[in-house]
Amino acid sequence: MAALRPPRQPRLRSAPRDRHRGGLALTGTTTGRSGVRRTRGQVAIPGGRFAMGDHLGEGYAADGEHPVHPVTLSPFGLDATAVTNAAFATFVKDTGHVTDAERWGSSAVFHLAFTGDRSDVLTSVDGAGWWLGVRGACWRRPEGPGSSVGDRANHPVVHVSWHDAQAYAAWAGKRLPTEAEWEYAARGGLEGARFPWGDELRPGGRWALNVWQGRFPTHNTGEDGHLTTAPVKSYRPNAYGLWQMVGNVWEWCSDRFSPDTYRRGEAVDPTGPEEDPAVGDARVMRGGSYLCHDSYCYRYRVAARSSNTPESSSGNLGFRCASSAATARP
């Protein structure tokens, strides 16, 4: 793992946004393994107390994964998968929502995935030349103007800002998860483990997540079968029945980001720092993505944290929704 903290996600400004109406909560439940009940598209996560943070001393100091501290959470619901292109398309059709990337006219695309005319490349990102600011890149055209999501209905939607994710969640009668909820759910009941399934990156010699293989950022061997996103139900779910909590795409959380968040000690249902000029407006992202590699961005661990400005978007950034216990119960 690199000693120095690597660059964060690309930050691209966007135009102002509109507000859209809310929607109805999804209902209907079944009971799955481990006694965890599922609402339609969600898993009802039992409340409890856990030790949040980096138990193994592997995180980047500036990310604030320490100290490990006890957190108590009320029961909540969490989407079993990241929100898909198909689900987001339904939201857009119903509301007319225009994403921040579409308003601004560009978004960040990984250089090896870019599809289009070179004249559509507006810029590269300082300190991370593998990110290109591409005219016309958005959730419908994730690699640029020459691409589409026509055959990727079950892939996670990308190029969505925190604002876009908030709008979708309101329409669905849900919300974004808090950072503590996200980590608790990702752990799947495994206290202190590195990944949702344990500590080994490749259990049984097989890839259990979609991350980079090879030499970043110039050569991906594709051992896991994917250069960019994988379908949301690839690999195996964790013990709570949640798919791909690490790798594939970064996932927005509701909290503002601060590297000092964990220093406040034990908390009950924490929601992150309050609005404060010293904290800023960046929001937490969790889970890592298909571009993560231990030589560059060792953030596909369940304890790993990162952030981005709420209007930013890129080809490896998506989300999943949470709900309160009231909507998670039958």
Side-chain angles (χ1 to χ4, degrees):
M1 181 178 67
L4 297 178
R5 183 183 179 283
R8 292 192 183 278
Q9 284 283 109
R11 302 187 178 192
L12 299 178
R13 289 185 59 194
S14 68
R17 63 192 186 283
D18 290 336
R19 295 182 178 179
H20 298 284
R21 64 174 180 83
L24 299 177
L26 302 180
T27 59
T29 62
T30 58
T31 301
R33 61 196 177 104
S34 304
V36 177
R37 282 203 294 267
R38 291 165 174 76
T39 60
R40 185 180 302 164
Q42 285 203 320
V43 173
I45 308 296
R49 190 170 185 262
F50 80 112
M52 184 174 182
D54 175 19
H55 293 247
L56 303 173
E58 297 175 324
Y60 302 102
D63 286 351
E65 295 180 33
H66 290 104
V68 175
H69 60 291
V71 171
T72 300
L73 293 174
S74 301
F76 62 98
L78 190 67
D79 288 354
T81 72
V83 173
T84 63
N85 286 312
F88 199 79
T90 299
F91 157 64
V92 169
K93 182 178 180 180
D94 191 41
T95 64
H97 181 83
V98 178
T99 62
D100 280 344
E102 290 170 301
R103 291 180 183 282
W104 186 243
S106 65
S107 191
V109 174
F110 181 64
H111 72 125
L112 295 184
F114 169 69
T115 304
D117 191 280
R118 293 303 297 182
S119 64
D120 294 318
V121 177
L122 303 177
T123 185
S124 59
V125 175
D126 290 343
W130 49 89
W131 280 115
L132 307 176
V134 175
R135 179 175 28 241
C138 63
W139 75 272
R140 302 174 191 272
R141 297 178 291 277
E143 286 86 44
S147 65
S148 81
V149 294
D151 61 350
R152 286 180 274 183
N154 292 323
H155 285 236
V157 66
V158 292
H159 294 289
V160 284
S161 70
W162 185 86
H163 299 310
D164 299 325
Q166 286 278 81
Y168 176 96
W171 168 80
K174 303 178 186 180
R175 58 178 173 81
L176 292 182
T178 66
E179 180 178 20
E181 288 174 336
W182 190 97
E183 183 172 323
Y184 179 71
R187 290 187 177 280
L190 296 180
E191 186 78 10
R194 179 179 287 117
F195 304 117
W197 56 86
D199 290 333
E200 189 177 354
L201 176 61
R202 299 179 63 195
R206 297 185 177 183
W207 288 100
L209 75 171
N210 178 17
V211 290
W212 186 274
Q213 299 96 43
R215 182 180 295 276
F216 186 86
T218 57
H219 178 64
N220 189 334
T221 64
E223 290 177 20
D224 63 3
H226 307 285
L227 174 63
T228 60
T229 59
V232 295
K233 287 191 174 180
S234 302
Y235 310 104
R236 298 179 62 182
N238 72 1
Y240 284 161
L242 302 169
W243 299 78
Q244 293 185 201
M245 292 296 289
V246 294
N248 214 25
V249 295
W250 283 102
E251 298 182 6
W252 287 112
C253 293
S254 59
D255 312 43
R256 286 184 171 83
F257 176 85
S258 170
D260 298 324
T261 297
Y262 292 2
R263 300 190 182 281
R264 290 180 287 173
E266 184 172 4
V268 176
D269 293 325
T271 57
E274 298 296 327
E275 186 173 1
D276 184 335
V279 171
D281 203 30
R283 303 289 172 157
V284 172
M285 306 186 314
R286 284 298 200 119
S289 81
Y290 59 80
L291 292 180
C292 283
H293 187 273
D294 62 6
S295 68
Y296 154 66
C297 181
Y298 191 41
R299 294 195 182 98
Y300 46 91
R301 300 165 290 108
V302 292
R305 313 174 71 216
S306 194
S307 68
N308 214 333
T309 54
E311 70 276 6
S312 292
S313 62
S314 65
N316 66 340
L317 179 51
F319 69 104
R320 74 179 71 206
C321 296
S323 63
S324 67
T327 56
R329 290 197 302 265

